[in-house]
């Protein structure tokens, strides 16, 4: 479980408690069962985006903060935000010269005595480690709550929402907005619905000085890219999991007054490329593709 997921389900539990909603009440007023809510509120599974929205609605709370946190949690949960494994370190230590003069005879004995002392020290440290780990495991066994949590169990203290962006401006160029915490509270510069029914949004985070596009309602093979006059960053819908959730492009650096442009290409070979723009600092807009012209009947 990631730190973001922990913050998400703790915030959901706090919201539910503040609204005085039981699991039965949640099941009655939403599309999700009592057992589903139990899993969502105890961190056993990631709730659907719609479930987060419905809980915010019932609690009469804005959903922006929790949805942003959900997006980050979902990107980790689905594996798209997993960092690549670091390359194995290369051994650049100098190798002994085969013509090197052998060490004196006494040196071997001194090395042997040092090795015995090192071995004894390792045994002592290993024993101490075993005792510590065993004690911690026993302590956790008695202190951790039962996994079968009761409906009216005490809720944990609220988890502070203190995530801060990890890049700004040029440092964000070509990087993942979710992993760099730029997806917390961004502005929507413009939204666009394509001819195929996909939704594309241009997003902007002032603290990060960067913009990106996100897309949902897609089909496998769809493509979207974004640029602000510099490099173009795009993403393709690769499989059904991508098509079932939000997909994000990498970020591009922007400044107030910059024009950001997103283009969508459908998977179908005969589909047309659709582009739209927005200006950083301008009013948010919602656009749709133009309707095809209506063919006129034969003139008399």
């Amino acid at each position: 479980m990631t730190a973001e997921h922990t913050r998400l389900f703790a915030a959901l539990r706090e919201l539910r408690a503040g609204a005085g909603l039981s699991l039965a009440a949640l099941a009655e007023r939403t599309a999700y069962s009592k057992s589903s809510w139990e899993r969502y509120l105890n961190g056993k599974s990631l709730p659907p985006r719609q479930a987060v929205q419905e809980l915010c609605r019932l609690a009469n709370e804005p959903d922006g903060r929790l949805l942003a946190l959900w997006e980050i949690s979902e990107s980790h949960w689905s594996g798209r935000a997993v960092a690549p494994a670091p390359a194995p370190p290369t051994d650049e230590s100098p190798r002994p010269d085969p013509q090197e003069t052998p060490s004196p005879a006494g040196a071997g004995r001194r090395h042997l005595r040092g090795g015995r002392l090192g071995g004894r020290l390792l045994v002592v440290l290993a024993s101490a480690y075993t005792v510590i780990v065993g004690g911690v495991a026993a302590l956790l066994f008695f202190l951790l709550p039962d996994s079968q949590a009761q409906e009216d169990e005490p809720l944990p203290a609220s988890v502070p929402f203190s995530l801060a962006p990890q890049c700004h401006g040029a440092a964000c160029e070509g990087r993942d907005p979710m992993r760099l915490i730029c997806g917390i509270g961004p502005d929507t510069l413009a939204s666009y619905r394509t001819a195929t029914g996909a939704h594309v949004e241009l997003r902007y985070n002032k603290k990060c000085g960067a913009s990106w596009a996100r897309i949902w309602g897609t089909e496998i093979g769809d493509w979207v890219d974004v640029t602000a006059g510099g490099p173009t960053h795009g993403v393709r819908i690769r499989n059904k999991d991508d098509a079932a959730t939000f997909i994000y492009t990498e970020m591009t650096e922007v400044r107030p007054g910059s024009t950001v442009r997103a283009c969508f290409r459908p998977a179908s070979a005969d589909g047309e490329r659709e582009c739209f723009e927005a200006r950083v600092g301008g009013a948010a807009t919602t656009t749709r593709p133009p309707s095809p012209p209506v063919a006129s009947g034969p003139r008399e």
Side-chain angles (χ1 to χ4, degrees):
M1 184 184 300
T2 65
E4 291 78 13
H5 186 200
T6 302
R7 289 183 174 91
L8 175 63
F9 83 78
L12 292 175
R13 286 165 66 95
E14 184 178 4
L15 199 60
R16 169 225 171 187
L21 295 167
S22 66
L23 295 180
L26 287 173
E28 181 180 353
R29 301 182 189 182
T30 68
Y32 305 95
S33 66
K34 181 178 177 180
S35 59
S36 295
W37 278 112
E38 190 274 333
R39 293 194 303 273
Y40 303 155
L41 295 170
N42 285 288
K44 298 176 183 177
S45 62
L46 185 70
R49 188 176 191 273
Q50 184 65 30
V52 176
Q53 287 180 304
E54 292 194 22
L55 180 53
C56 290
R57 174 180 57 82
L58 291 175
N60 196 28
E61 290 287 338
D63 60 12
R65 182 176 73 92
L66 288 183
L67 288 181
L69 189 56
W70 178 89
E71 291 174 10
I72 297 175
S73 302
E74 194 279 334
S75 67
H76 285 276
W77 189 276
S78 63
R80 291 195 307 277
V82 176
T90 56
D91 185 7
E92 298 180 353
S93 58
R95 296 183 179 180
D97 187 347
Q99 301 300 324
E100 186 176 354
T101 304
S103 58
R109 289 192 295 272
R110 288 195 298 271
H111 176 72
L112 179 60
R113 286 196 295 272
R116 288 175 180 172
L117 289 174
R120 292 170 184 169
L121 179 60
L122 288 176
V123 171
V124 173
L125 291 175
S127 301
Y129 176 81
T130 302
V131 172
I132 293 171
V133 171
V136 171
L139 182 63
L140 290 176
F141 178 81
F142 287 106
L143 293 182
L144 287 179
D146 187 356
S147 60
Q148 299 298 326
Q150 299 298 319
E151 178 176 335
D152 296 324
E153 65 179 341
L155 294 175
S158 60
V159 180
F161 192 79
S162 59
L163 294 175
Q166 303 297 303
C167 68
H168 180 80
C172 295
E173 187 74 51
R175 305 182 72 182
D176 188 330
M178 298 299 108
R179 288 182 57 192
L180 275 297
I181 321 299
C182 293
I184 298 294
D187 295 325
T188 298
L189 300 179
S191 59
Y192 181 88
R193 184 171 183 179
T194 71
T196 62
H199 294 265
V200 186
E201 287 183 343
L202 280 172
R203 309 280 272 175
Y204 164 66
N205 189 306
K206 181 178 180 180
K207 293 181 179 179
C208 292
S211 184
W212 64 95
R214 75 170 180 176
I215 187 170
W216 71 97
T218 54
E219 298 178 1
I220 298 174
D222 287 350
W223 170 274
V224 66
D225 58 49
V226 64
T227 183
T232 298
H233 305 290
V235 65
R236 185 179 302 278
I237 308 305
R238 300 165 300 173
N239 49 49
K240 63 180 182 180
D241 292 332
D242 285 354
T245 187
F246 290 101
I247 295 296
Y248 306 84
T249 67
E250 295 167 334
M251 291 183 284
T252 184
E253 179 187 9
V254 295
R255 295 179 177 86
S258 298
T259 297
V260 191
R261 179 182 177 89
C263 291
F264 169 82
R265 292 201 307 268
S268 58
D270 57 347
E272 296 184 357
R273 186 167 179 254
E274 302 173 45
C275 298
F276 66 104
E277 297 180 346
R279 186 173 62 86
V280 176
T285 60
T286 300
T287 58
R288 291 175 175 79
S291 302
V294 179
S296 59
R299 296 182 179 178
E300 297 185 0

